[in-house]
């Protein structure tokens, strides 16, 4: 996940210096993601899927705020169990 974040930041801020990228981030946020769509799989079978509009981790409190979360859980064959 960390590698994905680094690649996403690098892609969105191409041509900017590291100092410029850091200035663009809010002071109290050390991690921010948008349009999250993550599926956990085990041995090729879906277990669950998390979708959210955004997530931000507050440095000071250590709390992560997630907006508009939707989760789907799957049975052993990968079928949706609602």
């Amino acid at each position: 996940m960390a590698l994905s974040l680094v690649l996403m930041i690098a892609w969105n801020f191409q041509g900017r210096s590291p100092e410029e990228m850091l200035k663009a981030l809010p002071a109290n946020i050390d991690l921010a993601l948008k349009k999250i769509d993550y599926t956990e799989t085990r041995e090729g079978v879906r277990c669950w899927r998390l979708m959210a509009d955004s997530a931000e981790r507050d440095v000071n409190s250590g709390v992560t705020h997630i907006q508009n979360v939707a989760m789907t859980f799957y049975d052993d064959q990968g079928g949706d169990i609602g």
Side-chain angles (χ1 to χ4, degrees):
M1 184 178 256
L3 177 59
S4 297
L5 176 62
V6 169
L7 292 174
M8 188 171 39
I9 290 172
W11 178 260
N12 288 323
F13 292 104
Q14 288 179 349
R16 292 186 181 178
S17 71
E19 292 81 15
E20 289 175 314
M21 290 191 313
L22 288 174
K23 288 178 186 175
L25 297 173
N28 63 328
I29 303 298
D30 69 341
L31 178 66
L33 300 170
K34 292 188 185 244
K35 296 182 182 177
I36 301 161
D37 189 345
Y38 178 80
T39 303
E40 173 74 22
T41 59
R42 293 186 189 135
E43 297 179 11
V45 178
R46 296 181 297 185
C47 298
W48 53 267
R49 180 180 182 193
L50 169 78
M51 294 163 287
D53 288 344
S54 64
E56 295 179 338
R57 182 178 179 277
D58 187 302
V59 163
N60 300 321
S61 67
V63 174
T64 300
H65 301 276
I66 304 174
Q67 301 295 317
N68 297 322
V69 178
M71 284 201 70
T72 304
F73 294 92
Y74 301 98
D75 62 22
D76 292 340
Q77 289 76 43
D80 183 348
I81 55 176

